[in-house]
């Protein structure tokens, strides 16, 4: 996998950190992005369902899992956003959970766009 030249300027993934994690192995990085692309929709759906059902334990678990996945990809802003969702669910604070959950759309959409572009070998929007 070849990274687009503007991957560093996207501000969505801390690419120097991520490349250090994979020891500059572009093939491994591509595999990680593919795993994310496969697993993210399922995990995101679990979180959405838990939040809609006001199931705080399930929301906390799903947010924690997603946060870890994002942290492993050095997607710092998205991981922080999921951390806020996890904390609200852990505190059993429904108003904060609703607010923090609504705030994850933008960072997650940006992350998905960047990963899709990287997988396709395109420039980062």
């Amino acid at each position: 996998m070849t990274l687009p030249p503007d991957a560093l300027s996207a501000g969505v993934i801390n690419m120097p950190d991520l490349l250090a994690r994979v020891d500059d192995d572009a093939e491994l990085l591509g595999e990680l992005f593919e795993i994310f692309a496969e697993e993210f929709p399922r995990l995101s759906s679990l979180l959405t369902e838990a939040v809609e059902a006001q199931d705080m334990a399930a929301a906390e678990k799903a947010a924690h899992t997603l946060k870890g996945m994002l942290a492993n990809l050095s997607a710092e802003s998205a991981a922080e956003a999921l951390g806020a969702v996890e904390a609200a669910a852990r505190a059993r604070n429904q108003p904060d959970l609703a607010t923090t959950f609504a705030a994850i759309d933008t960072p997650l959409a940006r992350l998905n766009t960047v990963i899709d572009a990287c997988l396709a070998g395109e420039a980062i929007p």
Side-chain angles (χ1 to χ4, degrees):
M1 178 184 85
T2 302
L3 289 174
D6 52 352
L8 294 175
S9 66
V12 176
I13 296 174
N14 180 337
M15 202 57 77
D17 182 62
L18 182 54
L19 289 171
R21 286 176 190 242
V22 298
D23 198 28
D24 290 323
D25 185 335
E27 185 177 329
L28 176 58
L29 183 58
E31 290 173 14
L32 290 175
F33 284 169
E34 288 173 6
I35 291 168
F36 173 85
E38 291 173 11
E39 290 296 315
F40 176 78
R42 181 183 64 80
L43 293 171
S44 181
S45 290
L46 287 175
L47 178 59
T48 299
E49 291 167 9
V51 169
E52 288 174 353
Q54 297 183 11
D55 182 341
M56 297 296 191
E60 180 182 359
K61 182 178 178 181
H64 179 79
T65 301
L66 279 167
K67 179 185 78 173
M69 176 186 277
L70 299 174
N72 285 334
L73 290 175
S74 300
E76 296 161 353
S77 63
E80 281 181 29
L82 265 297
V85 173
E86 178 187 15
R90 183 181 311 112
R92 305 305 191 246
N93 186 326
Q94 179 57 38
D96 280 355
L97 179 61
T99 301
T100 57
F101 180 71
I104 65 172
D105 286 341
T106 299
L108 291 180
R110 290 182 66 211
L111 177 62
N112 276 306
T113 299
V114 168
I115 289 178
D116 289 346
C118 286
L119 287 171
E122 300 170 357
I124 305 295

